[in-house]
Structure formats: C-alpha cells, structure tokens
Amino acid sequence: TQLLEQSPQFLSIQEGENLTVYCNSSSVFSSLQWYRQEPGEGPVLLVTVVTGGEVKKLKRLTFQFGDARKDSSLHITAAQPGDTGLYLCAGARYAGNNRKLIWGLGTSLAVNP
Amino acid sequence: DTEVTQTPKHLVMGMTNKKSLKCEQHMGHRAMYWYKQKAKKPPELMFVYSYEKLSINESVPSRFSPECPNSSLLNLHLHALQPEDSALYLCASSQGSALDYQPQHFGDGTRLSIL
C-alpha cells in the first residue's frame, strides 16, 4: 500500500508551460518535504511545509500544504529546461512511538526547449 | 556542491568481492541515513544512525553492514552482493535526532553495479 500517492508519474511539457504535481494521502503528516533530483545527483530539498493551509513560494515554484495536512501540491509557472528532474514529496508521520518519512513515487518532469 | 560527500562515485564489483562505501559530512548533523535508489524510483530507507547509534534497520539483508565510526562518518560494508543489489546508494544527514525527520541533505550517491 502506497501511503503517499504522487501524480502524475511522468510529465513532458514545452518550455513556458505551467504544471502542477500532487501528493495525496489518507494519513495526516506532521510535515511534508519536497525534493528535486537531477540525473547523477542526490535529491535536493526544495521546501518543507508544516502548517495546514501553508503556501510557500520559491521563485517560479509554489508549494501548498492542504488544510488537513494530508495532501500537498507543487505548481511551476513558466517551466524552463532547468526544471527537468525527478520531483519527490516525503511526508513525516508518527508510527507508534517513532516518526517515519514516507516517500511518494516521484514525478519525472521533462521540460523541452 | 553537496555538503555530504560520498566515495566512490562508481563501483563495479563481483558477487564474491568485499567493498565499502563511505560518506562524510561536516555540518554537525547527528542523524545519518543510508538509502538505496533504483532508476526513476524514490529512495528506499536502509539504515538510520542517530547520535552514532543504529536506530533503524529496515530489514536489510546481512550482506549490507553499516558502521558509524564517528559523528561525521558513515560506512556501508558490502559482501557477497547479488545482481539485484545494483542501484544508486545515497547517504543523507539531518540535524538533531533521526526521529525528528528534519530535512535531509543528500550526497550524490555511489552508483553500484554487481556483475
């Protein structure tokens, strides 16, 4: 059972287009992190959202955490070839006495010039 | 440049070889992680060290043996690996206790191929 559903799995768009990536779950997360991974490199943290309803902007990227802290979205405006990569969401939730980081399956984005 | 350094970047080994992957960070982070990642898939957690003690082993086969010599170093010793173990092995670190799951800083990984 995948606890964190990420969609779409693959996305190929032209430079200048807008796009949205979604992470959805039936579980509540204490925080949610977004990472981008380029070929041959490790994931790089983009943002952490903590509060329900929170919106964070990072240049052309807008991140939103759902009011119930069960889902999140990443919107990219006017995509550029440099945005190409694997986008991963990861939610932190309690499992018994421990906290676990649950990873989405990733969205592979290709932005064509 | 990443602040978590992994060596080697590439490793090819036979199924009977013994090798080690190394990871180093100097950010003062006290939680360190080993992940395995297949192409276009998310990282899969293998081990977590918190304050130099192994706190999580995600049922990893014994042919993988982690070691944390000090707060800056993390090793992964490999022995008698199988072809399906071929993957990108990522090291990460974060502040505080691993249980806090603070944002993680990843190295660029070791690309491992088992012949």
Side-chain angles (χ1 to χ4, degrees):
Chain A
T1 302
Q2 179 61 29
L3 296 178
L4 193 52
E5 301 286 343
Q6 193 170 339
S7 62
Q9 192 173 351
F10 299 97
L11 191 56
S12 181
I13 61 172
Q14 294 300 120
E15 182 176 0
E17 293 183 16
N18 302 332
L19 68 118
T20 302
V21 177
Y22 299 93
C23 269
N24 296 304
S25 176
S26 57
S27 302
V28 176
F29 294 105
S30 57
S31 66
L32 194 136
Q33 302 161 14
W34 283 93
Y35 294 82
R36 178 171 67 212
Q37 183 175 21
E38 299 186 27
E41 299 181 6
V44 175
L45 179 72
L46 297 173
V47 78
T48 301
V49 286
V50 179
T51 306
E54 182 176 5
V55 177
K56 284 191 173 180
K57 290 183 183 290
L58 186 66
K59 296 183 181 178
R60 294 174 293 98
L61 278 60
T62 301
F63 303 86
Q64 186 164 5
F65 203 15
D67 291 341
R69 291 185 288 130
K70 293 182 180 181
D71 53 82
S72 181
S73 64
L74 157 61
H75 183 78
I76 301 179
T77 304
Q80 299 177 1
D83 296 326
T84 293
L86 180 67
Y87 288 81
L88 295 156
C89 60
R93 62 183 289 266
Y94 287 101
N97 293 325
N98 297 322
R99 194 180 298 192
K100 291 181 74 75
L101 194 63
I102 310 297
W103 291 83
L105 291 179
T107 295
S108 183
L109 171 65
V111 182
N112 306 302
Chain B
D1 288 338
T2 181
E3 296 172 326
V4 176
T5 305
Q6 288 188 246
T7 56
K9 288 191 179 300
H10 301 276
L11 179 62
V12 179
M13 56 187 286
M15 288 189 285
T16 58
N17 292 155
K18 286 186 181 181
K19 296 285 184 183
S20 296
L21 308 185
K22 297 186 182 300
C23 175
E24 188 169 4
Q25 58 89 13
H26 294 289
M27 294 177 284
H29 290 173
R30 303 310 298 271
M32 296 187 77
Y33 311 78
W34 278 116
Y35 288 89
K36 172 184 177 180
Q37 187 180 29
K38 293 282 195 180
K40 299 286 176 72
K41 299 294 186 184
E44 299 173 39
L45 184 66
M46 300 175 71
F47 302 103
V48 181
Y49 274 83
S50 185
Y51 293 88
E52 297 149 56
K53 293 191 186 305
L54 183 65
S55 61
I56 295 176
N57 176 342
E58 290 285 354
S59 302
V60 179
S62 60
R63 56 186 185 268
F64 295 91
S65 175
E67 178 195 19
C68 189
N70 59 56
S71 60
S72 300
L73 295 174
L74 187 66
N75 299 323
L76 185 63
H77 302 298
L78 314 173
H79 174 55
L81 295 195
Q82 302 297 310
E84 61 265 27
D85 296 323
S86 297
L88 180 69
Y89 287 83
L90 292 163
C91 173
S93 69
S94 64
Q95 289 182 329
S97 165
L99 297 179
D100 292 336
Y101 277 107
Q102 292 292 316
Q104 297 178 32
H105 297 251
F106 284 85
D108 286 338
T110 294
R111 175 73 59 190
L112 177 65
S113 298
I114 306 300
L115 301 178

